[in-house]
mmCIF file of all heavy atoms in Angstrom:
data_model
loop_
_atom_site.group_PDB
_atom_site.id
_atom_site.type_symbol
_atom_site.label_atom_id
_atom_site.label_comp_id
_atom_site.label_asym_id
_atom_site.label_seq_id
_atom_site.Cartn_x
_atom_site.Cartn_y
_atom_site.Cartn_z
ATOM 1 N N GLN A 26 144.669 110.192 76.084
ATOM 2 C CA GLN A 26 143.432 110.960 75.935
ATOM 3 C C GLN A 26 142.227 110.100 75.573
ATOM 4 O O GLN A 26 141.356 110.516 74.800
ATOM 5 C CB GLN A 26 143.608 112.082 74.909
ATOM 6 C CG GLN A 26 144.287 113.297 75.489
ATOM 7 C CD GLN A 26 145.655 113.504 74.866
ATOM 8 O OE1 GLN A 26 145.843 113.279 73.696
ATOM 9 N NE2 GLN A 26 146.603 113.942 75.669
ATOM 10 N N ILE A 27 142.181 108.896 76.133
ATOM 11 C CA ILE A 27 141.031 108.012 75.952
ATOM 12 C C ILE A 27 140.258 108.023 77.272
ATOM 13 O O ILE A 27 140.799 107.624 78.311
ATOM 14 C CB ILE A 27 141.473 106.581 75.584
ATOM 15 C CG1 ILE A 27 142.198 106.604 74.234
ATOM 16 C CG2 ILE A 27 140.281 105.638 75.560
ATOM 17 C CD1 ILE A 27 142.863 105.299 73.864
ATOM 18 N N PRO A 28 139.012 108.487 77.239
ATOM 19 C CA PRO A 28 138.222 108.514 78.476
ATOM 20 C C PRO A 28 138.048 107.105 79.047
ATOM 21 O O PRO A 28 137.665 106.182 78.328
ATOM 22 C CB PRO A 28 136.877 109.085 78.038
ATOM 23 C CG PRO A 28 137.140 109.759 76.733
ATOM 24 C CD PRO A 28 138.277 109.025 76.102
ATOM 25 N N VAL A 29 138.341 106.956 80.327
ATOM 26 C CA VAL A 29 138.244 105.655 80.983
ATOM 27 C C VAL A 29 137.653 105.843 82.376
ATOM 28 O O VAL A 29 137.951 106.803 83.063
ATOM 29 C CB VAL A 29 139.630 104.948 81.037
ATOM 30 C CG1 VAL A 29 140.645 105.780 81.797
ATOM 31 C CG2 VAL A 29 139.534 103.550 81.606
ATOM 32 N N THR A 30 136.798 104.911 82.743
ATOM 33 C CA THR A 30 136.211 104.867 84.079
ATOM 34 C C THR A 30 136.583 103.527 84.689
ATOM 35 O O THR A 30 136.608 102.511 83.997
ATOM 36 C CB THR A 30 134.675 104.998 83.989
ATOM 37 O OG1 THR A 30 134.367 106.259 83.383
ATOM 38 C CG2 THR A 30 134.023 104.920 85.354
ATOM 39 N N ALA A 31 136.876 103.525 85.979
ATOM 40 C CA ALA A 31 137.261 102.290 86.664
ATOM 41 C C ALA A 31 136.145 101.817 87.576
ATOM 42 O O ALA A 31 135.491 102.614 88.248
ATOM 43 C CB ALA A 31 138.525 102.521 87.485
ATOM 44 N N ALA A 32 135.948 100.488 87.571
ATOM 45 C CA ALA A 32 135.015 99.852 88.508
ATOM 46 C C ALA A 32 135.758 98.707 89.179
ATOM 47 O O ALA A 32 136.501 97.972 88.522
ATOM 48 C CB ALA A 32 133.790 99.331 87.768
ATOM 49 N N GLY A 33 135.564 98.547 90.478
ATOM 50 C CA GLY A 33 136.283 97.527 91.225
ATOM 51 C C GLY A 33 135.574 96.191 91.309
ATOM 52 O O GLY A 33 136.116 95.233 91.849
ATOM 53 N N ASN A 34 134.343 96.123 90.776
ATOM 54 C CA ASN A 34 133.599 94.865 90.818
ATOM 55 C C ASN A 34 132.482 94.891 89.777
ATOM 56 O O ASN A 34 132.191 95.931 89.179
ATOM 57 C CB ASN A 34 133.046 94.609 92.230
ATOM 58 C CG ASN A 34 132.137 95.725 92.696
ATOM 59 O OD1 ASN A 34 131.155 96.075 92.037
ATOM 60 N ND2 ASN A 34 132.461 96.310 93.845
ATOM 61 N N GLY A 35 131.851 93.737 89.584
ATOM 62 C CA GLY A 35 130.806 93.591 88.585
ATOM 63 C C GLY A 35 129.586 94.462 88.809
ATOM 64 O O GLY A 35 129.141 95.158 87.885
ATOM 65 N N PRO A 36 129.003 94.457 90.019
ATOM 66 C CA PRO A 36 127.822 95.296 90.243
ATOM 67 C C PRO A 36 128.075 96.780 89.982
ATOM 68 O O PRO A 36 127.231 97.470 89.411
ATOM 69 C CB PRO A 36 127.466 95.024 91.713
ATOM 70 C CG PRO A 36 127.959 93.621 91.938
ATOM 71 C CD PRO A 36 129.242 93.535 91.149
ATOM 72 N N ASP A 37 129.260 97.279 90.374
ATOM 73 C CA ASP A 37 129.587 98.685 90.105
ATOM 74 C C ASP A 37 129.677 98.927 88.599
ATOM 75 O O ASP A 37 129.217 99.957 88.095
ATOM 76 C CB ASP A 37 130.904 99.087 90.773
ATOM 77 C CG ASP A 37 130.774 99.258 92.277
ATOM 78 O OD1 ASP A 37 129.641 99.208 92.797
ATOM 79 O OD2 ASP A 37 131.817 99.436 92.932
ATOM 80 N N ALA A 38 130.279 97.983 87.875
ATOM 81 C CA ALA A 38 130.405 98.110 86.422
ATOM 82 C C ALA A 38 129.025 98.189 85.774
ATOM 83 O O ALA A 38 128.780 99.044 84.912
ATOM 84 C CB ALA A 38 131.199 96.929 85.851
ATOM 85 N N LEU A 39 128.125 97.322 86.188
ATOM 86 C CA LEU A 39 126.767 97.322 85.623
ATOM 87 C C LEU A 39 126.048 98.630 85.938
ATOM 88 O O LEU A 39 125.316 99.163 85.096
ATOM 89 C CB LEU A 39 125.989 96.114 86.130
ATOM 90 C CG LEU A 39 126.528 94.757 85.656
ATOM 91 C CD1 LEU A 39 125.823 93.621 86.382
ATOM 92 C CD2 LEU A 39 126.421 94.603 84.151
#
Side-chain angles (χ1 to χ4, degrees):
Q26 279 113 37
I27 297 171
V29 60
T30 299
N34 59 55
D37 286 352
L39 294 171

